[in-house]
Amino acid sequence: MRQTVFRPAGPDDDDFLWSMLFETCRAAEQGHTCPADLRAIPDLAAMSRTLTHLLDWQPNTDTPVCA
């Protein structure tokens, strides 16, 4: 059985999160070839800045994680 490892997410996970977004929105089916293509979309680039801010903000009760 494969073991899943959870760890705190942080700003260094930016590339991983873009890769997950690429897969989740089925970007390849829409003609995109890699996660970097999504970074060129203005609305998504704005979301990335917001996401980085959220990853930096960690109140005592919430911890973003990557698995």
Side-chain angles (χ1 to χ4, degrees), residues 16-66:
F16 170 75
L17 295 171
W18 278 104
S19 294
M20 293 299 97
L21 179 64
F22 183 83
E23 296 299 330
T24 301
C25 70
R26 303 171 94 169
E29 294 176 17
Q30 299 172 38
H32 300 285
T33 58
C34 65
D37 289 352
L38 301 182
R39 292 177 190 248
I41 299 172
D43 288 342
L44 294 180
M47 182 185 74
S48 176
R49 288 187 296 278
T50 300
L51 181 58
T52 298
H53 171 74
L54 290 174
L55 288 172
D56 287 339
W57 173 75
Q58 295 183 13
N60 294 334
T61 57
D62 294 329
T63 302
V65 297
C66 288

